[in-house]
Amino acid sequence: EAKAARKRLKAGTPASLLDGVPVAWKDLFDLQGRVTTAGSVVLKSDPPAKRDAALVAAGKAAGLVSIGCLNMTEFAYSGIGLNPHYGTPRNPNDSRVHRSPGGSSSGSGVVVAAGIVPLAIGTDTGGSVRIPASFNGVTGYKSSTGHYSMDGVFPLSKTLDTLGPLAHTVEDCVLADAVLRGLKKPGVKAAPIRGQLFLVPETVVFDGCEAAVQRNFEASIERLRKAGAKVKRIRMPVLQEIFDLIAARGHILGAEALAVHWDRVKGEAAARMDARVVKRILMAEKMTAVDLVLFMEARTRMIAESTALIGDAIIAYPTTPHVAMPIAPLEADHDVFFRNNARTLRNTLIGNFLDWCGVSIPNGHDGDGMPTGFLLSAPHGADQAVLATALGAENLIRGD
């Protein structure tokens, strides 16, 4: 692929704006001739993929050079990124302590942050692009559902699964989005920040935030305000209602994950899976058909209400309420893991529940040099608007 790209570039006939750029794929994407293991050992004996996933094929057509597949949380079911089978990717921001890479697209965040490849493609069902972006200090774009084809991507939740790139800048994500959709050039241009309305929810998303996360967020917001942005802090009761609903009825994510893995978690394969993943999947057994119907009815209503409230504004809050944590305590105690996993996923899963698109941008560090993330979100289908705003606001958010 690299030789073919070089030949096209020398001839002045590049296949796309990113012809010859190296890319790596989360191990959920089918690559022809390779077994898609989804971060698990129980799929290693499956037959190799007969064809590339639709997005991999689009990348090849654009001249992207596939380096290979990337480690991930087993079956994409964790926001922290631990993997007992293939090892947990090391967050490159701390050379002394092995810290969480974020999940489930753990390898995708690490390889970009470490400078191994400039572009990686992940999936996001509850935060799995945006969390690794935040923890590793890179940029991650989560698309609206349906923005990209999911053909050839191992599922977690067919209702909530989305895809997106992780890269160093918003511009790189915009370019990746364009070429993966077969566009000759991006349709996104940097939006003016003066006059743009940013809504900052005061419900849930700041609860228990670490001091550095809060401090860096407020500094970014102040730079946006000084540049002429309109900043409005609002109560959004719907955000608390999401968590109340999940506590009362369960989650479509859990129900669909259980449907995908029923035979595995009920059979001999369960003993060869990450016990934390098995436990999370089996939690959905408590859901009833009535729970699922009432959940989906409530979700439809809450999406409509939040979309009407937001309008043309952009939602802004911290991507994660804390920085990447050391993995040793998480591996040693399942209760510690589950408590921190829920905390890690809290802010990002809101966007999946409400089907928002979003971009996480690095906006500083804590006292130990660990990155924090600033999340911009917009309702379903407003991908171009949120990317344009992120492009226009990136330097202000970063403080460059």
Side-chain angles (χ1 to χ4, degrees):
E1 290 174 351
K3 288 178 179 178
R6 180 182 295 170
K7 186 176 180 180
R8 288 190 299 270
L9 292 169
K10 284 185 175 180
T13 56
S16 77
L17 292 171
L18 297 185
D19 197 356
V21 171
V23 64
W25 305 87
K26 185 177 183 177
D27 188 21
L28 290 178
F29 290 86
D30 286 346
L31 272 65
Q32 185 177 4
R34 180 187 180 277
V35 176
T36 306
T37 66
S40 180
V41 294
V42 301
L43 302 184
K44 287 181 72 173
S45 59
D46 282 10
K50 294 182 177 179
R51 62 185 64 85
D52 290 327
L55 210 65
V56 174
K60 283 187 176 180
L64 293 175
V65 179
S66 289
I67 300 303
C69 281
L70 298 165
N71 200 355
M72 55 177 285
T73 304
E74 185 173 27
F75 294 126
Y77 213 10
S78 154
I80 288 178
L82 305 186
N83 188 304
H85 311 301
Y86 302 109
T88 298
R90 185 172 190 132
N91 190 312
N93 291 280
D94 193 331
S95 60
R96 297 175 296 104
V97 179
H98 191 169
R99 290 183 182 251
S100 166
S104 60
S105 307
S106 52
S108 303
V110 167
V111 294
V112 174
I116 296 169
V117 292
L119 177 65
I121 310 300
T123 64
D124 192 313
T125 308
S128 294
V129 163
R130 293 159 294 159
I131 293 168
S134 177
F135 277 9
N136 290 284
V138 300
T139 301
Y141 158 51
K142 172 223 177 296
S143 61
S144 301
T145 55
H147 186 76
Y148 299 115
S149 171
M150 298 296 298
D151 181 48
V153 182
F154 194 96
L156 175 61
S157 166
K158 292 182 179 180
T159 298
L160 303 178
D161 287 345
T162 62
L163 308 176
L166 294 97
H168 289 290
T169 65
V170 175
E171 182 180 15
D172 288 350
C173 289
V174 168
L175 289 168
D177 173 64
V179 303
L180 290 171
R181 293 193 294 124
L183 302 179
K184 295 293 184 183
K185 61 180 181 179
V188 173
K189 296 182 179 179
I193 297 307
R194 182 169 296 278
Q196 173 64 53
L197 176 59
F198 292 89
L199 298 179
V200 178
E202 294 186 328
T203 308
V204 174
V205 295
F206 292 99
D207 294 351
C209 270
E210 291 179 348
V213 172
Q214 181 91 37
R215 181 176 64 251
N216 291 349
F217 177 84
E218 294 299 339
S220 295
I221 279 290
E222 181 61 16
R223 289 190 292 269
L224 290 169
R225 190 190 64 77
K226 287 182 176 179
K230 299 177 182 178
V231 177
K232 185 177 181 181
R233 299 175 189 266
I234 60 170
R235 290 184 64 255
M236 288 189 72
V238 68
L239 303 189
Q240 182 59 55
E241 191 178 351
I242 291 170
F243 296 96
D244 293 342
L245 176 67
I246 292 172
R249 299 294 180 187
H251 198 332
I252 183 67
L253 168 57
E256 292 184 333
L258 181 58
V260 169
H261 297 289
W262 179 267
D263 290 341
R264 295 185 186 94
V265 297
K266 291 295 183 178
E268 60 83 23
R272 294 185 288 132
M273 292 170 59
D274 184 343
R276 293 162 296 216
V277 171
V278 173
K279 182 176 180 179
R280 284 197 74 203
I281 292 173
L282 287 174
M283 287 171 65
E285 283 189 299
K286 299 174 184 177
M287 287 187 75
T288 67
V290 172
D291 286 330
L292 192 56
V293 169
L294 293 176
F295 178 95
M296 295 305 289
E297 288 178 349
R299 179 176 185 252
T300 298
R301 172 183 57 78
M302 285 189 269
I303 288 174
E305 289 176 359
S306 63
T307 299
L309 174 66
I310 296 166
D312 294 330
I314 298 293
I315 298 287
Y317 56 78
T319 310
T320 55
H322 58 87
V323 300
M325 67 289 280
I327 69 166
L330 305 170
E331 291 180 324
D333 189 322
H334 282 197
D335 289 339
V336 172
F337 168 83
F338 283 110
R339 186 165 61 250
N340 279 279
N341 188 54
R343 184 174 168 231
T344 298
L345 287 161
R346 186 196 66 197
N347 285 7
T348 53
L349 75 78
I350 290 168
N352 300 90
F353 182 97
L354 296 173
D355 199 5
W356 292 347
C357 48
V359 180
S360 178
I361 299 171
N363 72 324
H365 299 82
D366 71 356
D368 294 322
M370 299 308 297
T372 60
F374 186 104
L375 181 59
L376 299 173
S377 302
H380 177 270
D383 296 67
Q384 302 298 289
V386 79
L387 285 169
T389 301
L391 198 57
E394 181 173 22
N395 288 344
L396 294 167
I397 290 170
R398 288 175 177 267
D400 293 343

